[in-house]
Amino acid sequence: LIYIRPDGSEQSLGKAKWTTHTAGDNGVIVTNAWANIDIEMVVLNNSLKTNFVINKALPAYGSGKLVFRDNYTSDDGLKLKIEKEKSIDGSITINNKNSEEIYVINKAIAYERNNSNTEIIPLTYNSHSNSQLDIEVPGSLLNNPSASYPLIIDPLVSGTLSSGFTYTAGAWYPAFASTTEYC
């Protein structure tokens, strides 16, 4: 997790802590992976998804933005189909070594879990290379006095799960054939 200050400088908020978790038939919940931020990993038909759950306002980060950053490597020839140094407002594909689409990382969104009238807020991905992908959460979402927290950061990945790895924003699944660094 990275905090990007208004001047563009970055401050690492550390790697996810996986020590407090529960698992069930539908997935895993990691409580306080970062202070006041949980990770929910849910198993769906032909997809895995991760929600980042911001449990309360985070005013210390309200003037900048939080970034969930993933660094990915694969021995299977799977690659993110993105351009270097590019902001992406839509979905991203993951292709195999034959350039065939294996997964789709859908557009990331944010919404208030407990507000039935909540607005769906589109988020931006930012790529630094074919092996690094950020989800950017603007500070205005982190310190909104009228918001009904928790705030859910919600991307969805779909595809064939037996292909070698999967990505769901902020968490590469280590049970698959990949090496990951959680930031």
Side-chain angles (χ1 to χ4, degrees):
L1 188 63
I2 309 289
Y3 172 57
I4 299 181
R5 295 179 185 94
D7 67 5
S9 62
E10 296 184 0
Q11 173 188 350
S12 174
L13 301 180
K15 296 180 180 185
K17 297 177 195 136
W18 296 87
T19 53
T20 307
H21 61 277
T22 58
D25 292 339
N26 297 327
V28 175
I29 297 174
V30 181
T31 305
N32 281 318
W34 298 277
N36 298 305
I37 302 175
D38 300 340
I39 300 173
E40 297 175 336
M41 293 178 276
V42 181
V43 179
L44 304 169
N45 188 24
N46 283 334
S47 59
L48 292 170
K49 71 182 305 320
T50 296
N51 289 333
F52 295 100
V53 182
I54 299 173
N55 290 304
K56 67 179 195 170
L58 301 172
Y61 309 116
S63 62
K65 59 186 165 185
L66 281 183
V67 171
F68 293 93
R69 177 169 292 161
D70 287 307
N71 297 297
Y72 167 77
T73 59
S74 172
D75 295 333
D76 299 350
L78 298 174
K79 294 182 182 178
L80 297 169
K81 186 178 177 182
I82 52 180
E83 297 175 30
K84 293 180 183 180
E85 303 296 329
K86 181 177 179 182
S87 290
I88 303 151
D89 291 324
S91 62
I92 299 168
T93 61
I94 299 171
N95 295 354
N96 65 16
K97 59 187 169 190
N98 298 322
S99 297
E100 299 166 323
E101 183 178 292
I102 302 297
Y103 301 106
V104 175
I105 304 171
N106 292 326
K107 172 93 181 120
I109 60 171
Y111 63 90
E112 298 170 26
R113 175 174 278 166
N114 297 325
N115 182 351
S116 61
N117 296 320
T118 191
E119 174 186 354
I120 302 297
I121 302 159
L123 300 175
T124 299
Y125 293 110
N126 192 9
S127 67
H128 302 281
S129 68
N130 283 336
S131 63
Q132 189 177 71
L133 186 65
D134 295 349
I135 294 179
E136 298 179 350
V137 182
S140 60
L141 296 178
L142 303 170
N143 191 27
N144 182 351
S146 65
S148 173
Y149 290 91
L151 178 69
I152 307 301
I153 309 304
D154 178 9
L156 172 68
V157 176
S158 57
T160 306
L161 296 181
S162 62
S163 299
F165 83 100
T166 194
Y167 167 86
T168 309
W172 295 98
Y173 286 81
F176 295 91
S178 66
T179 304
T180 294
E181 194 173 299
Y182 301 93
C183 299

